[in-house]
Amino acid sequence: MKARVHITLKNGVLDPQGAAIRHALGTLGFDGVENVRQGKVIELDLAEGTTEATVNDMCEKLLANTVIESYSVELA
């Protein structure tokens, strides 16, 4: 089984990497971009029987900093 964890900064948390990306896009002539929020994706290969609750526990304890980040889990 596979899980994909999408991690993004919570609203209101400054995103300097997103700002740098937006600036670089403007420099390259892509002027229509008003805001960029940068995040990360973690892909996990899991043993059969691993539950979504277990993956959420992984996120809460290690994969995401839940003080400033939000996450969502996709199981496949």
Side-chain angles (χ1 to χ4, degrees), residues 22-72:
R22 186 178 82 54
H23 175 73
L25 289 170
T27 300
L28 293 171
F30 298 102
D31 298 324
V33 179
E34 295 179 357
N35 192 30
V36 175
R37 299 291 286 176
Q38 185 268 338
K40 58 189 169 186
V41 175
I42 300 172
E43 293 184 350
L44 304 167
D45 289 325
L46 303 168
E48 285 301 318
T50 304
T51 65
E52 186 171 353
T54 300
V55 177
N56 284 323
D57 198 29
M58 293 176 190
C59 292
E60 294 286 332
K61 291 181 178 176
L62 176 69
L63 301 178
N65 178 351
T66 56
V67 173
I68 61 170
E69 295 175 324
S70 298
Y71 67 88
S72 63

